[in-house]
Amino acid sequence: NAHADAAAAEWLGNATHLTEAGQWLHDVLHTVEPYSEDVIAIALDDDQGAYLDNDTWPAPHWHDYIDWLRKNVRDVVGPRVPLFINTYEMKVPSASPQWAWGNWYQSGSDRITAHDLADLDFATGLLQTQAALPLMQSEFQAGWLQGADEAAPRPSDAVSTSLALAELLRDGAHGIVNFPVQDTIYPHGWEAPWANWSYGWDAALTVDLRASKRYAPTRAFGDIIRRYGALLARTHVEADAAIIWPPTLFAPGSLSNDDFAALAAATIAMQRSCNARGLTCTLADLGNGSANTARSLLLPLSASSALMQRISKNGAERIEQLRAAGRLAFDPASVRASTRKPPNVTILRANDSSYGFLIATNPGTGRRRFNSIRVSLFHRRITTAAFTLPGGGTRVVAVGVSAPPISAPPSPSLGTPPPFRDPEGTTLANSHLRVVFAPFAGARIAELGERRSNAATSIGLLRDATDPQPPVSPRDYIGTYTHPLPAGTFNRAYSCTNQDTTTTTRVSCSYDAPDLPQGGGTFTRTMSLTGGSSELVVDEQMQPHDARSAARLESVSGFAFSAHDQLLKAAGDDGLGLLHANRLVTLRWRHDDVAHIDLRQTRGAELVTLVFARRSAELRLGLRSVRDAAEARRLLDANQP
């Protein structure tokens, strides 16, 4: 964006920054040398030039920045390792200063939709406009990760994974990074302030390496690549026509973001029209020769459109030349298919035309029959057998070639994600209660309960923060997305000491914050667990460095909460209960300690935020077994000051 380009200009103009950063980059890259045989490619930067509504094209400082990165990396790794930038829907990929790989994630729907497929085909089609470069996907996931304020990722039907992967094959992808293939957990204290402790996507493998619902479609695709990968790598999309991506027909800088949105909508509509007619239409750019091999060219702008009247003189001349040569059309109805085939079928042809692959998808929900298709290869014609696909089904059919059966490793056992755990945490336990907290992650509580269940989520319990929150940095250009809940001290390292007595396990932890609240302050918490007690007593203190500060201590907790759980409030407004089956979690406080309570539900979590009236407060966190909701309410209401 414009801010990033301005920042790049400022940074590139500082010789000291360049020297220090260059040395740091060299040092980092040299650590890769022992593993150099495992390095397939190197990403120079992430999300560069991404999004149609950005302002990075043709920003000169952005190009200078990428050039600087390229030079420094090349000095270390040499000329053989491919370099790329990771992007999404770049305005003009043909003008990219570096090979652009794509990324794509499914939208908010549970199952992949027509909108998702249209978005995937357009985003991938833009990468097709790079002349003589393989189409690569550096990030792919038919879903989305759990947010900082969530206890679970966004759900996604496993069918979405197989459909999206097959669609990428139909678009001619030669490399796809499954991002990620396994759910993981950050070592505590290593998360970014806007990240969740758990890096969960409902990926193919759970955090304990069992097979999730997305394992089967991911494995099936991997088996296809394992068997046919070398053959697929030597194929290209058999295109019936190329749709012109129009921006280079206009003078640079003359198109607004709204204009790009209009061009995208027209291009997507033409892609959908092609597919509905059984045509395979790639994207091409007249500015770099990527359209030279196309039999027919389609322009998504109508001759009478307002945008068409604004193309440059050179653009108008090129359009007229193509029209005069009979290569230009404005409607897919005028294009004749190379191979007669139904919608959602693509032919990948070997570069020497000696073999091919038929890729078919059924995005609908009902069964669909695909009749036999006659494919012309070099000196021969092969008719494929008819087949039927269930709703959401996909099929890859080798045509004129075979590969030996693969020897695949066994699949892991099926499983669901286990309760969140912090294996590096510190444990306080007696015969009734087990609590695990993380000294190096704000001393927040990671586990509450038995090993088979956890009433805490990966958000953590009793996270220290301040009210008001510190303002978002003016250099945080995506601040809207990076602050779903107060970060507080959640990834700061507390210093902890044991103060056990004969009957009580006690740990005292403190942290001197330079920035919280404004001017800094000292946070102290003491956690005490008496033998036989079902409650952990937590004494909290926050002392600002500035005696005039009006900042208040705040505590943020993310409790596990599902659809059938109940949130109970104590009659005296001095406690909460969360009832899950026969397990009651209680959070209690002294009546006058809390000035404000905020409750909010997110996916799998109940967020409880307490703003304290005093800078010293006492909390009690408990866990009990109850017969029913009535007993739970009696226990909660029996709370004494």
Side-chain angles (χ1 to χ4, degrees):
N1 55 41
H3 298 291
D5 192 52
E10 176 186 347
W11 186 75
L12 287 162
N14 189 315
T16 302
H17 285 173
L18 288 174
T19 302
E20 292 175 352
Q23 185 58 53
W24 173 85
L25 188 58
H26 277 240
D27 292 344
V28 169
L29 287 166
H30 278 300
T31 66
V32 176
E33 286 181 340
Y35 314 98
S36 58
E37 293 300 317
D38 299 322
V39 176
I40 297 171
I42 294 177
L44 295 179
D45 209 333
D46 183 49
D47 282 346
Q48 288 297 323
Y51 310 109
L52 290 176
D53 59 355
N54 74 13
D55 295 308
T56 54
W57 177 80
H61 301 303
W62 173 56
H63 285 238
D64 291 343
Y65 169 61
I66 299 300
D67 287 341
W68 179 86
L69 286 174
R70 180 195 298 112
K71 178 183 181 301
N72 278 275
V73 174
R74 279 274 175 251
D75 285 348
V76 175
V77 303
R80 295 179 60 85
V81 178
L83 310 180
F84 68 94
I85 57 174
N86 173 36
T87 190
Y88 168 75
E89 291 192 354
M90 182 183 288
K91 284 180 173 176
V92 188
S94 62
S96 174
Q98 184 61 49
W99 183 13
W101 292 21
N103 64 56
W104 183 84
Y105 300 99
Q106 188 177 331
S107 69
S109 57
D110 174 65
R111 191 181 191 277
I112 200 166
T113 64
H115 169 79
D116 291 315
L117 291 175
D119 176 70
L120 177 57
D121 289 335
F122 175 67
T124 312
L126 288 175
L127 301 175
Q128 295 168 346
T129 65
Q130 299 177 98
L133 287 171
L135 197 160
M136 307 290 280
Q137 197 77 4
S138 56
E139 295 180 26
F140 164 82
Q141 190 64 262
W144 191 245
L145 77 164
Q146 69 188 82
D149 58 350
E150 296 177 328
R154 189 175 70 203
S156 179
D157 194 316
V159 164
S160 300
T161 295
S162 53
L163 274 174
L165 286 170
E167 195 73 8
L168 282 170
L169 270 189
R170 290 186 62 216
D171 291 331
H174 277 211
I176 303 169
V177 178
N178 195 334
F179 184 87
V181 76
Q182 180 197 357
D183 288 339
T184 52
I185 296 172
Y186 288 102
H188 62 214
W190 281 79
E191 317 93 298
W194 44 267
N196 196 290
W197 205 333
S198 173
Y199 195 58
W201 293 74
D202 279 346
L205 295 170
T206 63
V207 69
D208 55 351
L209 287 174
R210 292 191 292 173
S212 77
K213 61 182 181 180
R214 272 202 242 174
Y215 177 83
T218 307
R219 170 64 181 265
F221 187 81
D223 287 344
I224 289 170
I225 301 306
R226 187 181 293 110
R227 184 174 186 183
Y228 293 117
L231 295 167
L232 284 165
R234 296 193 291 271
T235 65
H236 60 274
V237 175
E238 182 183 80
D240 301 307
I243 300 171
I244 297 169
W245 177 234
T248 52
L249 296 174
F250 297 81
S254 66
L255 293 174
S256 67
N257 286 340
D258 288 341
D259 292 333
F260 274 97
L263 293 177
T267 302
I268 291 170
M270 187 162 279
Q271 286 180 305
R272 296 296 92 193
S273 179
C274 282
N275 184 64
R277 294 176 179 276
L279 299 173
T280 300
C281 298
T282 55
L283 295 193
D285 193 317
L286 295 180
N288 68 348
S290 59
N292 290 346
T293 59
R295 294 189 308 124
S296 300
L297 291 169
L298 289 164
L299 187 63
L301 296 174
S302 65
S304 60
S305 69
L307 270 174
M308 191 69 172
Q309 310 309 311
R310 292 166 47 194
I311 63 175
S312 67
K313 180 181 178 181
N314 289 339
E317 290 175 352
R318 186 68 193 278
I319 291 299
E320 184 54 38
Q321 291 170 357
L322 292 170
R323 192 201 307 265
R327 295 186 62 202
L328 186 66
F330 294 86
D331 188 344
S334 61
V335 176
R336 186 169 62 87
S338 305
T339 301
R340 188 175 179 181
K341 57 190 183 302
N344 301 108
V345 172
T346 297
I347 304 296
L348 300 181
R349 180 176 293 277
N351 296 334
D352 62 2
S353 294
S354 62
Y355 63 89
F357 290 90
L358 182 152
I359 317 295
T361 66
N362 178 15
T365 55
R367 295 178 66 82
R368 180 182 162 197
R369 177 179 170 81
F370 290 79
N371 294 325
S372 59
I373 298 174
R374 197 175 189 187
V375 182
S376 296
L377 298 174
F378 186 65
H379 290 324
R380 57 179 171 161
R381 291 182 179 180
I382 295 177
T383 301
T384 64
F387 56 89
T388 299
L389 288 180
T394 65
R395 180 72 62 90
V396 176
V397 180
V399 182
V401 69
S402 61
I406 58 172
S407 176
S411 297
S413 59
L414 291 173
T416 56
F420 174 71
R421 291 284 178 261
D422 176 25
E424 299 176 336
T426 300
T427 301
L428 299 175
N430 61 19
S431 58
H432 298 285
L433 192 64
R434 179 176 179 272
V435 176
V436 178
F437 73 98
F440 295 102
R444 56 188 155 138
I445 292 172
E447 300 178 41
L448 177 65
E450 302 174 350
R451 294 186 179 275
R452 295 187 299 274
S453 65
N454 187 4
T457 67
S458 52
I459 299 165
L461 302 180
L462 307 188
R463 294 166 49 151
D464 287 338
T466 59
D467 177 67
Q469 298 181 55
V472 176
S473 166
R475 296 184 65 86
D476 187 350
Y477 306 121
I478 56 172
T480 303
Y481 309 100
T482 59
H483 293 73
L485 76 170
T489 65
F490 91 122
N491 61 351
R492 314 290 185 91
Y494 279 52
S495 176
C496 299
T497 58
N498 290 332
Q499 299 175 348
D500 296 349
T501 66
T502 305
T503 59
T504 302
T505 301
R506 180 177 291 121
V507 178
S508 183
C509 300
S510 64
Y511 171 70
D512 192 25
D515 56 339
L516 293 172
Q518 187 171 3
T522 301
F523 293 80
T524 304
R525 72 166 47 183
T526 300
M527 291 173 279
S528 304
L529 183 61
T530 303
S533 173
S534 58
E535 282 189 319
L536 177 76
V537 180
V538 182
D539 289 305
E540 293 273 7
Q541 293 185 35
M542 186 271 289
Q543 186 60 50
H545 292 165
D546 185 349
R548 298 166 298 175
S549 174
R552 299 186 294 184
L553 177 63
E554 187 175 63
S555 177
V556 182
S557 298
F559 292 95
F561 199 81
S562 59
H564 301 291
D565 292 348
Q566 296 183 57
L567 175 65
L568 309 175
K569 297 180 181 179
D573 290 330
D574 49 10
L576 294 170
L578 297 101
L579 181 61
H580 174 80
N582 299 112
R583 183 191 71 189
L584 175 66
V585 179
T586 57
L587 176 62
R588 305 195 295 136
W589 53 86
R590 295 181 302 211
H591 185 75
D592 295 329
D593 276 1
V594 174
H596 176 71
I597 305 169
D598 181 70
L599 303 175
R600 179 165 64 95
Q601 285 188 22
T602 62
R603 185 178 290 112
E606 178 71 38
L607 294 182
V608 178
T609 301
L610 304 177
V611 178
F612 295 101
R614 302 186 178 99
R615 289 178 179 154
S616 177
E618 180 185 283
L619 294 169
R620 291 176 178 255
L621 190 62
L623 185 66
R624 296 177 174 87
S625 294
V626 295
R627 291 187 298 273
D628 51 30
E631 182 184 6
R633 288 186 181 278
R634 285 196 299 272
L635 279 172
L636 191 60
D637 290 342
N639 174 25
Q640 296 297 317

